Amino acid sequence: MPLHPAIERVTARIAGRSSKLRSDYLARMDAAREAGPARRELSCGNLAHGFAASGIDKPMLRDGAGGNIGIVTAYNDMLSAHQPMEQYPSLIRMAARNAGGSAQVAGGVPAMCDGVTQGRAGMELSLFSRDAIALATAVSLSHDMFDAVLCLGVCDKIVPGLLIGALSYGHLPTLFVPAGPMPSGIPNKQKAEVRQRYALGQATREELLEAEAASYHSAGTCTFYGTANSNQMLMEVMGLHMPGSAFVPPNTPLRDALTVAAAEQALRITALGNGYRPLARTVDEKAIVNAMAGLAATGGSTNHALHLVAIARAAGIVIDWTDLDEVSRATPLLARVYPNGSADVNHFEAAGGLGLVINELLDAGLLHEDIACVHGGNLRQQAKQPWLEDGLKLGWRDAPARPLDDAVVRTAAAPFDSEGGLRCLQGNLGRAVAKISAVAPEFRRHEAPARIFESQDALLAAFKAGELDKRDGFDGDFIAVVRGQGPRANGMPELHKLTPTLAALQDRGQRVALLTDGRMSGASGKVLAAIHVTPEAADAGALAKLREGDMIRIDADAGTMDALVDAAEWNARDAVKPALAGNRTGHGRELFGLMRKQVGSAEQGACSLFIDEDAA
């Protein structure tokens, strides 16, 4: 199938825009490649330190005969998605020995849970934790002891951070090893209903806790299609997993077999043999465009409008939201997974899953098939599903050719929608991102007066005080402007605590929308939200010029967002500087001042890592 014109056009545009940066990056990675294990070049003292505690692996590491895998792990046992990884290093070491190599834990990286920090001060560290993870990954790999890398991680900032860090060692082959989703709990719709009743004061804290505990109830990834599970989709369509690894449950024979297979494959594709597949060549312009198309087709998390930009930049590739918008408009929506539907990722996988979606997109010319997948083949082979023959031997078979439940997954010929629903909005308020795959068509355009809030807590306080209720002189319709939430202001926290409140207002007949320079959770859904607004208010962006009662129009279908204020008055207004003293200290925030000062804009990935040190 020939490529779709939009995919071809966007890929070519990205390649042209990135030519110099990408060629410089690849030249650095080529120069870093060694003829044999880099540890052979270490001094005797350096090398002895490197294998001192390696036990039975010491002779191989000393002689440099076989490949050595560096494991970068994000394990901790508070984060349910990462708890199953506790025993992975032992399993990987065993698999490496059996394959004639070795493996060492190169380092650990932090892994915070957004579900725990939502609405808390710790959430202001969340996005910057991605950059901290990238730094920790680079430090982990800095010992020159490794021929390949296995990255153990699943959740929101962890996978992007691991990938950004690993790309700085892009001459090494790198595979990502996930843990899989927890079993399905109570239906997500039921959980959301309890949350909305609690926001309205109609449910007790005990009722809410019972619903949350019945949803998040076991080891494994949360089963809604938020950022963590969107990460797993990206690793598949970019060719960074063993095929079909994303949604295999933890603590099962099949999951362990896939982990063993990842270790074996890592050793096959090192520079020591003929199957060399360095990360720098796997993550190219085609893989990045595949990620955009996969995100659109599955209704993935808006957080990847930030993460993908930063990942691409780490590989010497420059993308922007116009690229994402164009790919999304060309890509049909093939999945309905909560919050874009009622099913969870386990239902999605059972209905045909990513294997079916990848094949459908390939057949429609919406994915690049010829990417250098880490398993050694192309993306068509990535679409195969793993299984255990006779319950013992790992193999792969074709994914279902047709959906097994067309309420959850569809073909490209009969999609849920003709486009993916990730939009770039622009106008006199700047540029922003909106996700409309879960927003009903009648709510995708909204014109109403602004209600200005300097924090999500201020909006919630107004709601609890009845200030947002319909009354004489106020029909209840408004656009909530929550500003001073961008990366330079306070680290760009998710404002997910607003979701039940805004959804409750909409359900009782008020027309509402959100406009913010902050983020929303990957689990956010049915209320129109223009997010990641750039320039942000703390950088004298247009949100800082808005005043209470200003008329605003957000039109996601048209891709516009504007303050309907007389041009002369608008141009004469001063930007209101956010009061941010309270966001500078406490909960470790004082340690992240350098990142707040250095961070790029949301459309640049809200990343603090990439600067020109030679610039004046």
Side-chain angles (χ1 to χ4, degrees), residues 6-372:
I7 300 298
E8 194 167 27
R9 182 168 56 249
V10 171
T11 306
R13 184 168 71 226
I14 292 170
R17 180 193 303 143
S18 309
S19 176
K20 175 70 164 62
L21 195 65
R22 177 69 174 166
S23 62
D24 289 348
Y25 169 76
L26 290 175
R28 294 199 311 274
M29 296 304 105
D30 289 343
R33 176 184 176 178
E34 301 288 345
R39 61 188 172 278
R40 285 179 175 169
E41 307 302 320
L42 297 178
S43 74
C44 294
N46 294 149
L47 184 57
H49 277 89
F51 62 61
S54 295
I56 62 175
D57 294 325
K58 189 180 294 188
M60 185 169 294
L61 288 167
R62 177 173 180 152
D63 295 341
N68 187 34
I69 298 170
I71 303 167
V72 183
T73 177
Y75 162 76
N76 67 55
D77 61 8
M78 181 201 68
L79 186 55
S80 67
H82 289 200
Q83 186 274 343
M85 295 175 175
E86 182 175 9
Q87 302 304 323
Y88 278 21
S90 296
L91 190 60
I92 290 164
R93 288 190 198 98
M94 178 192 70
R97 288 175 195 137
N98 291 341
S102 56
Q104 296 175 290
V105 173
V109 303
M112 66 182 292
C113 179
D114 286 357
V116 176
T117 57
Q118 285 290 354
R120 311 288 300 172
M123 174 52 72
E124 295 183 18
L125 308 186
S126 173
L127 183 58
F128 287 149
S129 78
R130 179 198 65 193
D131 295 3
I133 290 163
L135 293 170
T137 302
V139 171
S140 298
L141 297 176
S142 66
H143 302 90
D144 277 340
M145 287 286 294
F146 311 113
D147 304 293
V149 182
L150 292 182
C151 291
L152 314 186
V154 173
C155 282
D156 297 26
K157 271 68 55 192
I158 294 94
V159 166
L162 286 167
L163 183 49
I164 291 167
L167 281 163
S168 68
Y169 285 81
H171 62 292
L172 298 177
T174 301
L175 285 77
F176 279 71
V177 182
M182 69 176 65
S184 299
I186 65 168
N188 284 296
K189 184 177 180 181
Q190 181 180 340
K191 174 188 68 180
E193 287 171 351
V194 178
R195 285 179 173 178
Q196 284 189 213
R197 288 197 298 109
Y198 182 76
L200 293 168
Q202 298 169 358
T204 66
R205 175 181 169 82
E206 185 57 35
E207 287 178 279
L208 179 61
L209 182 57
E210 185 62 29
E212 300 285 4
S215 180
Y216 310 118
H217 63 95
S218 181
T221 315
C222 306
T223 59
F224 62 85
Y225 195 53
T227 311
N229 286 316
S230 296
N231 283 340
Q232 304 317 299
M233 176 278 302
L234 293 184
M235 295 302 97
E236 294 279 341
V237 299
M238 294 173 74
L240 291 168
H241 273 173
M242 292 301 289
S245 295
F247 301 132
V248 174
N251 303 317
T252 61
L254 181 55
R255 170 54 66 199
D256 287 346
L258 285 165
T259 301
V260 167
E264 295 170 342
Q265 182 62 14
L267 292 173
R268 289 190 196 102
I269 60 174
T270 72
L272 300 174
N274 297 322
Y276 181 50
R277 290 215 166 188
L279 180 64
R281 300 289 177 175
T282 295
V283 179
D284 62 4
E285 297 89 345
K286 292 179 180 180
I288 294 294
V289 172
N290 281 359
M292 294 181 189
L295 194 66
T298 58
S301 170
T302 52
N303 280 323
H304 285 296
L306 307 172
H307 297 326
L308 265 182
V309 178
I311 291 166
R313 177 62 181 80
I317 299 166
V318 180
I319 63 173
D320 61 26
W321 292 343
T322 299
D323 300 325
L324 185 60
D325 181 286
E326 188 169 347
V327 170
S328 181
R329 288 177 186 265
T331 305
L333 182 67
L334 303 186
R336 284 282 187 201
V337 189
Y338 187 84
N340 307 316
S342 59
D344 68 13
V345 293
N346 294 317
H347 302 136
F348 169 65
E349 183 70 5
L354 285 175
L356 189 150
V357 168
I358 290 171
N359 279 328
E360 287 294 312
L361 294 175
L362 285 169
D363 290 344
L366 291 163
L367 290 175
H368 292 279
E369 182 173 340
D370 58 337
I371 62 170

Side-chain angles (χ1 to χ4, degrees), residues 516-592:
T516 182
D517 47 9
R519 297 185 294 136
M520 291 298 283
S521 165
S524 303
K526 64 185 181 180
V527 175
L528 177 62
I531 60 177
H532 306 173
V533 174
T534 184
E536 62 176 289
D539 204 21
L543 290 189
K545 297 171 72 172
L546 284 170
R547 304 292 184 264
E548 188 80 10
D550 282 347
M551 291 299 294
I552 297 172
R553 180 190 301 130
I554 302 173
D555 190 334
D557 288 326
T560 60
M561 59 171 195
D562 291 285
L564 306 180
V565 178
D566 176 76
E569 180 187 348
W570 182 253
N571 292 333
R573 281 186 185 176
D574 292 328
V576 175
K577 190 174 180 63
L580 298 170
N583 303 96
R584 297 298 191 228
T585 58
H587 288 273
R589 288 177 290 184
E590 57 271 24
L591 303 178
F592 287 78

